[in-house]
Amino acid sequence: MLFNFQTFIADLRENQEKKEVVEKFEKHFGEISWEAKDQNWYKNYTSKFKSVSYLTPDELKDDFDRSFLMELVASSFSSDWLLESIEGSELPEFVISVQSGDQVVVKKVSELRWFQILRLYEIYIEEQMNLQVLMAEDEKEKDAIEAQRDARSHRRNIVMDNLDKEELTKQDKQEREGKLDDLMGQL
């Protein structure tokens, strides 16, 4: 697999600028062990952002956990995302946008390289760890973060409902076209 959580945590511990993330997290929640999906931020929040299938780079098809990546992106406060239907494709395009200052960077996951996907895991996991620490250290921050999490969850539900409606509309159209073809064939 492309991303290894324990290697990432070990790298954070060795990085002078980042080791504080791990130290503060462990101060409040105990030693980081196991995998990312065993962490409290994942179990209590990120896991609620269930994934759907989407287009991925062919060369990386089996190299990363696509569901986990979508959960991380969808639960992030630092990114926006959408699922874009592609004509002639059963799977949608997963599009991520990030605003940095005046610039907005928009990328399709299917066009990313391995090192870009790896970096996304690192960014989003570090973000979730920092948010957990903030929630543990400051009650006002906790309330603000929980409100933002609720808003992100609500937005995700709206997107998924619209995707379901779009899929049903597409199926209905195909069925009607098939029935029309059958009728035309009977004439």
Side-chain angles (χ1 to χ4, degrees), residues 68-131:
F68 185 42
L69 181 62
M70 179 177 258
E71 292 167 348
L72 288 169
V73 173
S75 66
S76 171
F77 295 179
S78 63
S79 299
D80 285 314
W81 61 278
L82 61 90
L83 292 166
E84 185 179 280
S85 295
I86 304 297
E87 188 71 36
S89 174
E90 289 184 25
L91 297 177
E93 190 73 68
F94 183 35
V95 182
I96 303 170
S97 66
V98 179
Q99 184 164 356
S100 179
D102 308 359
Q103 290 187 316
V104 176
V105 178
V106 179
K107 296 285 185 180
K108 296 177 180 178
V109 172
S110 68
E111 296 174 353
L112 296 178
R113 308 284 304 228
W114 69 268
F115 60 89
Q116 293 170 306
I117 292 173
L118 179 63
R119 186 68 185 124
L120 289 176
Y121 280 110
E122 294 170 352
I123 290 167
Y124 293 125
I125 288 173
E126 187 177 343
E127 175 188 1
Q128 293 303 328
M129 290 173 66
N130 279 319
L131 289 171

Side-chain angles (χ1 to χ4, degrees), residues 37-89:
K37 291 182 179 181
D38 297 315
Q39 306 307 309
N40 61 352
W41 53 264
Y42 180 80
K43 289 179 183 178
N44 298 329
Y45 174 62
T46 304
S47 66
K48 310 274 189 284
F49 291 80
K50 296 299 177 202
S51 176
V52 297
S53 295
Y54 57 91
L55 293 173
T56 56
D58 288 336
E59 66 273 7
L60 300 176
K61 197 174 293 187
D62 299 323
D63 292 341
F64 73 100
D65 184 341
R66 293 180 301 283
S67 295
F68 185 42
L69 181 62
M70 179 177 258
E71 292 167 348
L72 288 169
V73 173
S75 66
S76 171
F77 295 179
S78 63
S79 299
D80 285 314
W81 61 278
L82 61 90
L83 292 166
E84 185 179 280
S85 295
I86 304 297
E87 188 71 36
S89 174

